[in-house]
Amino acid sequence: MEKFYVTTPIYYVNDVPHIGHAYTTVAADIVARFNRLLGRKVFFLTGTDEHGQKVQKAAEERGLSPKEHADKMVLNFKALWQKLNISNDAFIRTTDTEHKRVVQEILQRLYDKGEIVKRPYQGWYCTPDERFWTEKELVEGRCPECGRPVEQIEEENYFFLMSKYQDKLIKHIEEHPDYILPETRRNEVLGFLRSRPLGDLCISRPKKRLSWGIPLPFDEDYVTYVWFDALVNYYSATKYLAPEKETLQWWPAEHHIVGKDILTTHAVYWSTMLMALEMPLPGNIFAHGWWTVEGRKMSKSLGNVVDPEDVINRYGVDAFRYFLFREVPFGLDGDFSEKAIIGRINSDLANDLGNLLNRTMSMLHRYMDAVVPEPAETEEEAKALAEQILGKLKEHLSKLAFQKALDEIWRLIDYLNKYIDTNQPWRLAKEPQSRGRLSTVLYTCLEGLRFIGLYIFPFMPETGEKIYSALGYRVLEGRLDELAKWGHLRHGIKLTKPEPLFPRITQTEKKQDPPIQDKEKTLETSQKLIGIEEFARVELKVAKVIDAERIKGSKKLIRLVVDVGEKRQIVAGIGTAYTPEELVGKSVVVVTNLKPAKLMGVDSQGMLLAAGDGENIVVISPEKDIPVGTRVK
Ligand code: ME8
């Protein structure tokens, strides 16, 4: 049996998932479901990227260890995938012991082969951000991210000798036109590879600068660069997470689906790593486009990050899945707006698809007593159109051309709506001599709908199932090739009238708040509601700030000494909104039973309550004087 292996990027656990993450994951889900329908053995992998600077920093800001932080954040991804009906076969976490073992094995193999060497490394280093920049990346000689001064650092590091694979990689891309898609991205990568020499890749970080990573097996003073660790997931998962892993050779993947932001790491780093390992390359790396929101870049500071859960609660999971893939060709950038999604729901889903099912079922009830009639003849045109679409779907979905695939399905929907208008079953029903014709027309609509349910299923699984069950089936059983044959629908069966698939959304029903992510939503979904006894476990007390000073190298962090009945040292991330001077003498509220944490090397024994973020942070202060140490309840 043919196998089909598809992956999404493994997402960083430094933040909660948004519409962009949902996009890539639904794309992989559509092809996974389609290939399962074709009868292939599918391995659909997604997961989380949990090592490295970003995650370590996010954990520090929450006063948690990186692993504790990752354990919490990973639940957000898992909960969203469930809500989005994602049918992944496995979920990899780079902190899995088995994954770490495979990464170390690969490092050792490359090191033994002389593909990894130790060399001095020189670069411009931004201490607060803890990262290197090249001369070219600097902005007016300063860190391009935070604008602070950088210093030249020289240290020893391990390098993967990527440069020697430059020509081989160019050749591979040239000889495999589908290796990188869409074509514009392929040309970009080729242009970049042909125009300048490829450097070697620094794959280590000294432990003294970054400890949160997989230790190099051949040098305990270093951890693995997070991208090297992350990319290996696609292979390591086949060894311990894939179905029937003992007997099936899952590697190489058929598709790596990624956003355009991480094409280079996949097309260049990963491909050359595989070449050095003498392993086969994946069939395709597809770099899709970027979602903006109401014409603007999505960003936390703009407060316009679209929360997929919110969109689903408002419009339904299938409408959301449909919108993402109908609105823009896969590969190009797209813009999310409520107007656009409502427009799609009303026209394509309520009007075209929903109405077709609704009017067909109403007529069946009215004219045939709800029983599927035996057609007097086969409508060859409808049959040909319905059956031909399968070939088109195979062709388009093998290149991840989702929009074209949906266009094909809609050709059948449009055809059947017109077919009803032309044949006017309501007139046929009035003529006793046209009973046979009426049976043919209604059967054709019902059988056409069965094809639509079948074809639409990978995109909108719930809708596909609903259409199928409206036609008297329990589930989509069997293989697509057999099911996509005209005449499969059984006659003589009495059907019940289904609920409307997609009710129209009127502007007055539309909720006022846009589906934007709550900035503070960083806790796992399953922990949203807590009982009073859980709240009571948090010990909050009134305190007074006795001393305050900025922590060196941090814009945000301030070290406070507070009196809560006893003296405590607390590190608070309020430095962008307050100076130490204005804090001294202030009455505040402190969580006093929090596990101690270290932030930028400074111990923190508690947490200050504050609202907002960035420059809009406000420290919570008791409204009237009240003795320090008083419990807040
Ligand atoms: O890069 N539009 O993880 P990440 C479309 N851990 N897609 C978007 C998007 C947007 N506005 N924003 C994010 C990493 N994405 C690494 C990957 S893989 C071995 C390691 C999607 O959490 C898109 O798929 O930053 C993008 O490539 C991915 O999220 C980046 O996720």
Side-chain angles (χ1 to χ4, degrees):
M1 191 183 283
E2 234 181 307
K3 64 101 184 165
F4 182 83
Y5 176 24
V6 58
T7 69
T8 72
I10 46 171
Y11 306 108
Y12 286 127
V13 285
N14 55 342
D15 218 337
V16 287
H18 57 62
I19 181 177
H21 305 108
Y23 187 48
T24 326
T25 311
V26 176
D29 187 59
I30 295 168
V31 280
R33 286 178 183 273
F34 183 70
N35 278 276
R36 283 194 203 102
L37 274 184
L38 288 176
R40 299 200 174 119
K41 268 209 188 315
V42 171
F43 179 30
F44 166 18
L45 177 72
T46 187
T48 41
D49 191 352
E50 305 189 354
H51 289 124
Q53 193 68 59
K54 282 190 188 194
V55 175
Q56 181 167 310
K57 203 164 161 195
E60 262 168 25
E61 276 165 15
R62 288 181 65 194
L64 295 172
S65 75
K67 183 62 170 51
E68 281 170 340
H69 167 78
D71 286 347
K72 284 186 185 298
M73 298 302 282
V74 84
L75 300 177
N76 291 315
F77 287 90
K78 290 189 170 171
L80 180 61
W81 300 158
Q82 209 172 1
K83 194 144 187 167
L84 266 172
N85 271 332
I86 301 299
S87 64
N88 55 305
D89 298 287
F91 190 102
I92 190 168
R93 300 182 58 183
T94 51
T95 48
D96 291 345
T97 315
E98 298 90 335
H99 168 76
K100 292 193 271 188
R101 194 179 44 74
V102 177
V103 171
Q104 288 189 326
E105 258 171 38
I106 282 182
L107 284 163
Q108 189 68 52
R109 235 198 292 168
L110 292 176
Y111 185 67
D112 292 345
K113 282 179 82 190
E115 302 278 350
I116 290 177
V117 296
K118 194 175 187 183
R119 268 187 202 158
Y121 182 66
Q122 225 185 26
W124 293 99
Y125 191 66
C126 172
T127 316
D129 282 347
E130 296 183 46
R131 69 167 286 187
F132 275 104
W133 300 101
T134 61
E135 179 89 40
K136 264 210 289 194
E137 286 169 328
L138 300 182
V139 177
E140 290 167 7
R142 286 165 170 262
C143 169
E145 203 155 277
C146 68
R148 282 172 288 203
V150 285
E151 51 180 327
Q152 182 133 66
I153 283 191
E154 191 173 308
E155 67 185 22
E156 297 248 275
N157 258 314
Y158 287 87
F159 285 80
F160 161 52
L161 301 181
M162 187 163 76
S163 56
K164 67 181 196 196
Y165 294 100
Q166 181 161 11
D167 292 339
K168 203 172 167 185
L169 180 58
I170 294 175
K171 195 157 170 269
H172 185 86
I173 301 173
E174 282 171 347
E175 285 172 1
H176 299 85
D178 289 347
Y179 186 58
I180 297 169
L181 285 176
E183 208 183 327
T184 46
R185 301 274 165 230
R186 173 178 186 263
N187 293 339
E188 261 172 40
V189 174
L190 273 176
F192 150 83
L193 284 171
R194 285 180 186 140
S195 65
R196 68 196 93 152
L198 191 60
D200 292 330
L201 181 67
C202 178
I203 54 107
S204 64
R205 296 292 182 263
K207 261 193 196 154
K208 60 179 179 346
R209 271 204 291 114
L210 172 71
S211 57
W212 184 232
I214 302 178
L216 290 189
F218 39 81
D219 193 334
E220 58 182 26
D221 291 338
Y222 292 84
V223 295
T224 314
Y225 171 44
V226 65
W227 268 104
F228 189 99
D229 158 4
L231 289 161
V232 171
N233 94 86
Y234 300 133
Y235 171 69
S236 68
T238 67
K239 294 286 144 202
Y240 73 99
L241 292 173
E244 300 173 49
K245 55 189 182 298
E246 291 79 16
T247 47
L248 261 174
Q249 178 63 43
W250 283 104
W251 187 256
E254 272 59 41
H255 293 283
H256 288 320
I257 306 181
V258 299
K260 64 179 181 183
D261 55 327
I262 55 175
L263 176 60
T264 312
T265 49
H266 285 75
V268 183
Y269 300 1
W270 183 224
S271 306
T272 53
M273 279 161 69
L274 289 164
M275 285 175 174
L277 287 161
E278 297 172 68
M279 277 167 58
L281 267 53
N284 159 253
I285 299 168
F286 196 108
H288 66 65
W290 216 238
W291 280 93
T292 51
V293 175
E294 316 261 354
R296 298 171 83 186
K297 191 173 171 250
M298 209 168 19
S299 91
K300 267 193 149 181
S301 47
L302 286 177
N304 66 346
V305 179
V306 175
D307 184 350
E309 206 186 313
D310 211 355
V311 182
I312 298 168
N313 290 343
R314 202 168 293 190
Y315 303 112
V317 58
D318 279 358
F320 181 46
R321 289 174 62 119
Y322 172 77
F323 170 78
L324 292 175
F325 293 91
R326 182 53 177 255
E327 193 66 5
V328 273
F330 202 53
L332 299 187
D333 295 341
D335 187 51
F336 178 90
S337 72
E338 290 213 84
K339 196 163 159 242
I341 190 170
I342 292 174
R344 284 287 171 197
I345 294 172
N346 286 347
S347 72
D348 305 5
L349 299 179
N351 222 28
D352 301 345
L353 174 60
N355 228 2
L356 175 63
L357 179 70
N358 203 28
R359 65 206 288 222
T360 304
M361 295 306 282
S362 299
M363 290 189 288
L364 185 75
H365 277 253
R366 204 167 312 141
Y367 309 138
M368 296 287 163
D369 201 18
V371 176
V372 180
E374 184 174 0
E377 64 203 316
T378 302
E379 291 282 43
E380 292 300 336
E381 202 178 55
K383 172 180 188 279
L385 176 64
E387 289 182 349
Q388 272 163 20
I389 290 175
L390 178 59
K392 300 274 186 203
L393 294 185
K394 285 183 185 172
E395 179 191 327
H396 295 319
L397 291 180
S398 73
K399 296 199 171 187
L400 310 189
F402 299 107
Q403 199 193 38
K404 284 188 181 160
L406 285 169
D407 280 345
E408 287 296 328
I409 304 172
W410 252 257
R411 274 203 319 139
L412 182 56
I413 296 173
D414 291 345
Y415 177 87
L416 290 172
N417 273 323
K418 282 202 195 88
Y419 175 82
I420 295 177
D421 296 343
T422 320
N423 284 285
Q424 306 188 333
W426 46 92
R427 276 189 45 200
L428 298 175
K430 287 191 193 133
E431 307 162 355
Q433 75 280 16
S434 301
R435 193 73 190 160
R437 183 71 200 140
L438 181 62
S439 299
T440 303
V441 171
L442 289 182
Y443 183 88
T444 304
C445 293
L446 291 165
E447 177 60 342
L449 272 163
R450 191 184 62 82
F451 274 77
I452 292 162
L454 189 59
Y455 291 156
I456 235 171
F457 175 79
F459 294 88
M460 298 192 269
E462 282 181 9
T463 308
E465 297 269 6
K466 273 190 203 161
I467 295 177
Y468 244 65
S469 71
L471 298 173
Y473 294 82
R474 236 173 299 145
V475 276
L476 284 174
E477 293 155 353
R479 303 199 9 197
L480 200 46
D481 285 295
E482 294 142 26
L483 292 172
K485 291 265 183 297
W486 192 265
H488 214 282
L489 183 71
R490 291 161 295 206
H491 49 81
I493 296 173
K494 197 169 176 127
L495 303 181
T496 47
K497 214 169 162 187
E499 294 287 306
L501 287 180
F502 296 97
R504 278 185 73 82
I505 297 173
T506 55
Q507 283 301 317
T508 44
E509 272 172 57
K510 180 183 159 259
K511 296 194 191 135
Q512 290 312 304
D513 296 336
I516 295 307
Q517 209 151 55
D518 175 355
K519 283 192 197 161
E520 298 306 315
K521 185 184 153 189
T522 49
L523 278 181
E524 60 272 31
T525 323
S526 56
Q527 281 203 350
K528 265 188 187 161
L529 294 178
I530 60 166
I532 186 76
E533 59 303 329
E534 231 171 311
F535 172 70
R537 288 175 54 210
V538 182
E539 194 179 81
L540 296 164
K541 284 187 178 170
V542 174
K544 199 163 226 120
V545 180
I546 308 170
D547 194 12
E549 63 170 11
R550 286 193 184 280
I551 291 182
K552 261 202 199 109
S554 172
K555 258 203 324 206
K556 252 176 110 176
L557 298 181
I558 292 188
R559 185 184 75 89
L560 303 167
V561 179
V562 297
D563 180 3
V564 265
E566 60 184 28
K567 268 194 200 168
R568 293 256 185 136
Q569 172 170 296
I570 286 177
V571 178
I574 51 175
T576 41
Y578 288 86
T579 61
E581 297 73 50
E582 45 183 325
L583 288 166
V584 176
K586 212 174 177 53
S587 270
V588 292
V589 178
V590 166
V591 184
T592 46
N593 63 341
L594 205 62
K595 277 190 206 152
K598 248 194 178 41
L599 287 113
M600 290 200 69
V602 181
D603 287 324
S604 182
Q605 307 153 311
M607 190 178 87
L608 188 76
L609 291 198
D613 60 6
E615 278 159 27
N616 294 323
I617 293 189
V618 180
V619 166
I620 309 295
S621 207
E623 196 221 345
K624 287 187 191 148
D625 254 0
I626 187 154
V628 293
T630 309
R631 182 104 195 239
V632 178
K633 291 186 276 203

